[in-house]
Amino acid sequence: MSDEVRIIEMGPRDGLQNEKIPVSVEARIDFVEALVAAGLTTVEVGAFVSPKAIPQMASSDAVLRGVAHLTGAEFHVLVPNEKGYDAARAAGAKVVSVFAAASEGFSRANINCTVAESIERFKPVLARARDDGVKVRGYISCVLGCPFDGEIKPKAVADLANTLWDLGCYEISLGDTIGVGTPTKAKEMLRAVAANVPAARLAMHFHDTYGQALANLYAGLEEGVSVIDAAAGGLGGCPYAPGATGNVATEDVVYMLEGMGVRTGVDMEKLLAATNGMSGVLGKAPVSRVASALNAKKKRAVS
């Protein structure tokens, strides 16, 4: 297990894109600034997708430009195709992410095409990014289960990860999109993927629907994976999975890792302030157990 873990902050994109009410550009920029101030120096800030499909991600170009002044941080944006890539590059993107699903059912429901068709859509993106010197991160959804197809075989995930790796993705993020995985299954999946893609180039993107995310992350850390996707306050969810909660909360991940002596570089007090700021914008309390506990502790101290 590594003594240092890199956390990729998902809140401004994967977290906010599931909120019913879109958050203003100004509030999104403030959120990113607060997260970077907390030590989260890799943040996914938006998605260059159709505003009709995901209105919450409209004006991602303005958000990306609005955080460009922050030094020492790397900002990622999601792009589904060449049109999205063009818009991202025009806004100054230096790192983009592409996505595919390990299940045919989810791919059809989410982006209305087969897995093979989704790969064909972003092949030109990877080719152009290589020529432009732009880094590309690859996401795979439903690596531990699908709301339509049920159980997903580790080989299906491994084959898709190998395809993304061969196409030029520098890192592959493995998503338990509906949060159904358990530690043993997580290990089996990661071992299958690591047979072709180095563990150092893998990331874990686990949702916490069944309360298994931290346990699954721990299992993955034991397998040598040292990159974790998380969202401040546990923001997020999956519209195709009834009852699915958000990403594993960044506060919960930091608390576990720092308690184990694993460095994250994140200041919990500043992270909590960032989470509370966005919670105020959204008008609801954070899902994070750690954030809830620390907020309650602060409230008791004041009273």
Side-chain angles (χ1 to χ4, degrees):
M1 189 182 295
S2 174
D3 59 3
E4 186 172 359
V5 162
R6 179 164 57 94
I7 296 176
I8 313 295
E9 176 56 47
M10 296 278 115
R13 197 279 298 176
D14 197 21
L16 296 183
Q17 74 174 16
N18 281 292
E19 291 299 320
K20 292 181 180 179
I21 301 174
V23 176
S24 71
V25 168
E26 293 74 20
R28 286 150 67 186
I29 291 172
D30 288 345
F31 188 30
V32 175
E33 289 177 338
L35 292 167
V36 172
L40 290 155
T41 55
T42 308
V43 185
E44 192 164 75
V45 301
F48 286 81
V49 295
S50 167
K52 291 182 179 179
I54 307 180
Q56 297 89 338
M57 289 294 101
S59 302
S60 285
D61 57 335
V63 175
L64 185 57
R65 290 189 178 99
V67 300
H69 66 283
L70 298 172
T71 58
E74 181 178 88
F75 300 116
H76 297 190
V77 291
L78 198 68
V79 298
N81 48 37
E82 281 192 277
K83 183 178 179 181
Y85 179 77
D86 287 338
R89 285 291 288 152
K94 297 177 181 177
V95 185
V96 300
S97 299
V98 296
F99 55 93
S103 76
E104 293 293 345
F106 191 85
S107 184
R108 290 182 183 278
N110 190 32
I111 52 177
N112 196 32
C113 68
T114 66
V115 174
E117 288 169 344
S118 72
I119 293 170
E120 290 303 315
R121 285 182 186 179
F122 58 67
K123 272 185 179 179
V125 171
L126 283 146
R128 290 180 57 189
R130 184 168 52 249
D131 292 340
D132 294 341
V134 172
K135 292 165 54 179
V136 182
R137 194 172 194 248
Y139 285 108
I140 302 179
S141 303
C142 297
V143 299
L144 292 173
C146 170
F148 305 102
D149 298 347
E151 184 179 352
I152 301 299
K153 300 295 184 183
K155 185 180 184 304
V157 183
D159 288 346
L160 183 53
N162 196 36
T163 297
L164 293 175
W165 180 250
D166 287 344
L167 285 172
C169 290
Y170 78 94
E171 187 169 84
I172 313 293
S173 176
L174 302 163
D176 183 9
T177 311
I178 57 173
V180 295
T182 52
T184 300
K185 290 182 178 179
K187 282 195 170 192
E188 290 173 355
M189 180 273 296
L190 289 167
R191 286 173 183 170
V193 175
N196 296 315
V197 182
R201 294 297 184 177
L202 299 177
M204 298 178 286
H205 184 114
F206 296 161
H207 287 228
D208 202 31
T209 309
Y210 287 81
Q212 302 297 297
L214 289 178
N216 294 341
L217 290 173
Y218 187 91
L221 291 170
E222 290 187 319
E223 292 300 310
V225 181
S226 60
V227 181
I228 294 173
D229 294 355
L235 288 166
C238 177
Y240 303 104
T245 54
N247 296 275
V248 65
T250 310
E251 295 86 353
D252 297 0
V253 173
V254 170
Y255 183 86
M256 179 182 79
L257 293 175
E258 295 287 349
M260 292 162 50
V262 177
R263 298 188 304 277
T264 64
V266 178
D267 183 307
M268 181 67 84
E269 191 73 19
K270 292 180 179 178
L271 171 58
L272 184 63
T275 292
N276 287 339
M278 182 48 66
S279 293
V281 171
L282 298 173
K284 61 181 182 181
V287 175
S288 164
R289 297 289 184 86
V290 170
S292 298
L294 292 177
N295 282 333
K297 186 177 180 181
K298 283 177 174 291
K299 189 174 181 180
R300 284 197 302 272
V302 171
S303 59

